[in-house]
Amino acid sequence: MTLPTGSPDAKLGSLDVDAYLTDPSRKQAFVTPMFDIIAPRYDAFTRLFSLGMDAGWKRRAIAAAIAVAPTARRLLDLASGTGDVAAQLARAVPRATVTALDASPRMIDAARERLRTIDADVSARVTPMVGDMMALPQERASVDVVSASYGVRNVPDPAQCVREMARVLRPGGALVTLDFYRPGFAPWRALFLWYLSVAGNLVGWFWHRDPIVYGYIARSIRDFMTADEFSALLRREGFEIVSVKRYLFGGIAQHVARRVA
């Protein structure tokens, strides 16, 4: 891994993090090395930070997507991380093939290891690959379901990412996203971001001696949109909103949408 400073020994926290996050041309240069660092403990972190709720959120998102596109055979899981959602999608649709795409090579290495071990039962139908959510390699209208967990918030240009999702989905295809959002209620937003910042910095320090690798989450939410604003973006890019489920008073939301144009 090469960090944005060019030194393999550099710490992400030594950088001007806000400068990277607010500059679309530099954001990915921060995000990808960060996920390379956290890949070995990513699944443990999501369980810890969500107090175990993350698994239930993902199960409900998968069920909702399949309900919209019950005959799906070609599925694409974006920001796939260690491939946990991709494997669950493959089990939910036994005849389907799933592409698990992530920008982090180390995350994709972890996904391949899962498929070799705990997810070996679906390994023949899940293909991990390194890729860019803003420039997907899939052909136009070639996918029945697109899923993305905690991914849109991390791209340099969310609107371009949604356009790419729309491009590869067939008409009538389903999109399901699960992500952090900026809560609309100011007092709760302040408390929510404070908790994520403090807890993230502590876990980042104890696990990696680099607080920002998890403290980053609060900063990224602060600069992101609300769940309602994301719904509006989906509509502008040719999606019909099927459902929106909010968790943690709007700090997390699941969007299910259908490609209509």
Side-chain angles (χ1 to χ4, degrees), residues 8-243:
D9 299 320
K11 296 285 189 181
L12 290 175
S14 68
L15 307 173
D16 185 345
V17 177
D18 289 329
Y20 276 91
L21 297 186
T22 58
D23 183 347
S25 70
R26 302 171 74 193
K27 184 174 181 178
Q28 199 66 52
F30 175 89
V31 170
T32 298
M34 181 195 68
F35 279 102
D36 280 340
I37 290 171
I38 67 177
R41 286 179 161 172
Y42 181 71
D43 288 338
F45 171 75
T46 57
R47 289 192 296 269
L48 173 66
F49 238 48
S50 68
L51 303 177
M53 293 183 286
D54 172 75
W57 297 336
K58 288 178 177 177
R59 283 195 300 271
R60 287 190 284 276
I62 289 166
I66 301 306
V68 173
T71 61
R73 292 295 177 266
R74 296 162 297 176
L75 293 82
L76 173 62
D77 184 42
L78 302 177
S80 195
T82 64
D84 60 328
V85 170
Q88 291 182 62
L89 285 168
R91 292 190 186 99
V93 190
R95 291 185 295 277
T97 58
V98 185
T99 300
L101 182 146
D102 199 281
S104 164
R106 288 194 179 179
M107 284 291 191
I108 291 301
D109 287 344
R112 292 192 178 104
E113 179 62 17
R114 280 188 62 125
L115 290 169
R116 190 185 67 80
T117 54
I118 62 176
D119 292 326
D121 59 308
V122 295
S123 61
R125 295 186 292 113
V126 179
T127 303
M129 66 180 299
V130 176
D132 183 352
M133 289 175 64
M134 299 204 308
L136 297 173
Q138 285 74 23
E139 295 181 358
R140 182 178 300 275
S142 65
V143 176
D144 300 311
V145 173
V146 171
S147 62
S149 300
Y150 313 117
V152 177
R153 186 187 80 261
N154 290 318
V155 300
D157 185 347
Q160 174 61 23
C161 176
V162 171
R163 289 185 201 109
E164 278 293 276
M165 294 171 169
R167 180 184 65 81
V168 303
L169 269 172
R170 64 168 176 79
L175 170 68
V176 57
T177 65
L178 181 69
D179 218 321
F180 286 99
Y181 292 94
R182 193 177 73 249
F185 183 53
W188 169 242
R189 179 171 64 244
L191 181 61
F192 184 64
L193 295 180
W194 174 84
Y195 163 75
L196 289 175
S197 179
V198 172
N201 285 336
L202 286 173
V203 174
W205 172 253
F206 281 117
W207 282 2
H208 303 286
R209 293 298 185 265
D210 201 352
I212 197 59
V213 296
Y214 295 119
Y216 152 84
I217 294 173
R219 300 192 193 198
S220 69
I221 297 168
R222 180 197 63 196
D223 297 326
F224 197 43
M225 61 188 81
T226 66
D228 286 341
E229 289 169 340
F230 186 65
S231 295
L233 172 59
L234 291 177
R235 293 188 185 98
R236 288 197 299 272
E237 298 301 333
F239 287 97
E240 172 191 22
I241 304 297
V242 175
S243 65

